[in-house]
Amino acid sequence: MSNKKILIVTQAFYPDQSPRSFRATELAKELCRQGHDVTVMAPEKENLQSLLSEFPIHFISMGKLKWKIPTLNGNSKIAAVF
């Protein structure tokens, strides 16, 4: 299989600690290990240098988030749908 250029657009990425962040980060790392050219677009992140020095991931910052990420508790009508 030839090397591909891959773009991952995500809200959650390293160093955030969440299942989605872990999934996006591990996907980017594994695709780099396989030799693909990986670019990640995510909101501005701090402390990325350790990851970017270890893996050849290109990071494009989408700037700071301008909206608050809602948290859903189990009692809300929206959370009941999911």
Side-chain angles (χ1 to χ4, degrees), residues 60-78:
I60 299 174
S61 175
M62 295 190 299
K64 292 190 182 235
L65 286 178
K66 295 183 180 179
W67 66 90
K68 183 178 177 185
I69 299 172
T71 55
L72 302 174
N73 62 28
N75 298 331
S76 72
K77 290 180 183 179
I78 295 174

Side-chain angles (χ1 to χ4, degrees), residues 4-61:
K4 307 269 187 220
K5 288 186 174 185
I6 299 171
L7 173 64
I8 299 172
V9 181
T10 182
Q11 184 275 326
F13 195 69
Y14 181 88
D16 294 347
Q17 296 294 313
S18 70
R20 290 181 188 200
S21 171
F22 181 76
R23 208 171 301 129
T25 304
E26 290 301 312
L27 175 63
K29 287 166 48 175
E30 180 57 31
L31 290 170
C32 282
R33 281 188 205 107
Q34 293 178 10
H36 299 292
D37 182 16
V38 179
T39 301
V40 174
M41 284 183 84
E44 188 174 310
K45 303 287 180 186
E46 295 180 10
N47 304 323
L48 276 174
Q49 293 310 318
S50 62
L51 177 70
L52 299 180
S53 65
E54 188 176 345
F55 294 93
I57 297 170
H58 307 286
F59 184 79
I60 299 174
S61 175

